[in-house]
Amino acid sequence: MAELYKKKLGEMLIDGGYISNEQLNKTLIIQKKSDKKLGELLIEEGFVTEDDIINVLKDQLGLSYVDLDKEEIETDAVNLLSESIARRHCLIPIKIDGENIIIAMEDPLNIFAVDDVTIYTGKIVKPVISKGFLIKKYIDKYYSRQKAIKAAEDYIKEYSKENKIEKSSL
């Protein structure tokens, strides 16, 4: 996995002919005054599109792109990771494959995200690239489903306790 992190996104975009050194330098200056990621700022500045970033990451890192609207997401994989980690790093588990967990990530260069998932799940992270808005859509879908199931389970437990108390007092 370490080989993924040898080059920075800006360098890859320059090497791929997507941006110039001047555009990168301008964006890096903006980034120093911002809490935004480089890719996000390059898109905002109109220098690249999200598809450009995905293409350069696919080509230079050999990662696969996953369209989450067409991918089956395994609930067991989602259940291995907390919602807070998924939201913080804009990623979603999509499949468990033995000791590996396949994670759709907006930023597969984010070492901290990979480390967090590895520590939390105990699995080896195999990243794939997906679009941020799709990842957020499926985080909302799968984690809100988890919350609804937990709320229903909590209600059933509480209702059962109340019923037992009422029966025992008779």
Side-chain angles (χ1 to χ4, degrees), residues 73-103:
I73 296 175
E74 295 177 0
T75 305
D76 288 346
V78 174
N79 290 340
L80 278 183
L81 193 66
S82 74
E83 179 179 3
S84 64
I85 291 174
R87 286 194 188 283
R88 182 179 334 124
H89 297 300
C90 193
L91 54 82
I92 189 162
I94 56 176
K95 183 178 181 180
I96 300 169
D97 184 17
E99 291 302 309
N100 300 320
I101 187 164
I102 314 301
I103 304 286

Side-chain angles (χ1 to χ4, degrees), residues 99-114:
E99 291 302 309
N100 300 320
I101 187 164
I102 314 301
I103 304 286
M105 302 178 70
E106 180 180 41
D107 180 5
L109 297 174
N110 185 339
I111 298 168
F112 302 109
V114 171

Side-chain angles (χ1 to χ4, degrees), residues 108-161:
L109 297 174
N110 185 339
I111 298 168
F112 302 109
V114 171
D115 286 348
D116 281 354
V117 173
T118 300
I119 291 166
Y120 197 89
T121 65
K123 300 277 187 191
I124 298 165
V125 174
K126 299 294 184 187
V128 295
I129 305 168
S130 193
K131 292 186 176 183
F133 80 92
L134 287 175
I135 293 170
K136 290 171 187 159
K137 171 183 166 182
Y138 285 96
I139 288 172
D140 289 344
K141 176 182 176 180
Y142 280 89
Y143 287 102
S144 64
R145 181 185 302 164
Q146 281 182 348
K147 285 180 188 173
I149 291 168
K150 173 127 177 49
E153 289 170 350
D154 290 347
Y155 175 78
I156 290 168
K157 285 178 190 174
E158 189 62 33
Y159 180 76
S160 296
K161 286 179 189 175

Side-chain angles (χ1 to χ4, degrees), residues 54 57-58 63-66 104-106 108 127-131:
I54 288 170
L57 291 173
K58 280 181 6 186
L63 297 176
S64 299
Y65 170 76
V66 173
M105 302 178 70
E106 180 180 41
V128 295
I129 305 168
S130 193
K131 292 186 176 183

